[in-house]
Structure formats: structure tokens, C-alpha cells
Amino acid sequence: MPQPQLPVAAPSMSKEEEAEFYRRRRGRNIGMLIVLIALVVIFFFITMAKLTSSVS
């Protein structure tokens, strides 16, 4: 049975590349936060609309 190959070590990044990587990741995280908050708000208003229409 062949031995599994070990993963190759990732090349190290320079300080500038690492800063750019974290800046882009932070931007994506903020974008996902905005999308999730928007979904929560939409679901909240849909729920409120259904509850108020069923009460009347």
C-alpha cells in the first residue's frame, strides 16, 4: 500500500503580501456580516408582517 504524501509547505509571504491578505479577508468578512444582518432584518419584517396579518 503506498504511503500518503505529506502536504507541501506553503511558501511564506512577505510583510506586504500578508498585510494585503488580511485586508482582503477583513473586507470579505465585513461583506458577509452585512449580508447576514440584511437577512435577519428581512426575516424579522416578514415574520412581523405574517403575525400582524394573522392577528387581525
Side-chain angles (χ1 to χ4, degrees), residues 9 13 15 21 33-35 39-40 50 56:
M13 294 187 279
K15 293 273 186 188
F21 171 77
L33 175 66
I34 291 169
V35 168
L39 282 173
V40 168
K50 286 186 175 194
S56 300

Side-chain angles (χ1 to χ4, degrees), residues 13-26:
M13 294 187 279
S14 68
K15 293 273 186 188
E16 295 83 19
E17 290 172 331
E18 190 172 346
E20 178 70 15
F21 171 77
Y22 287 119
R23 186 187 67 78
R24 286 184 182 191
R25 185 162 68 175
R26 181 171 174 84

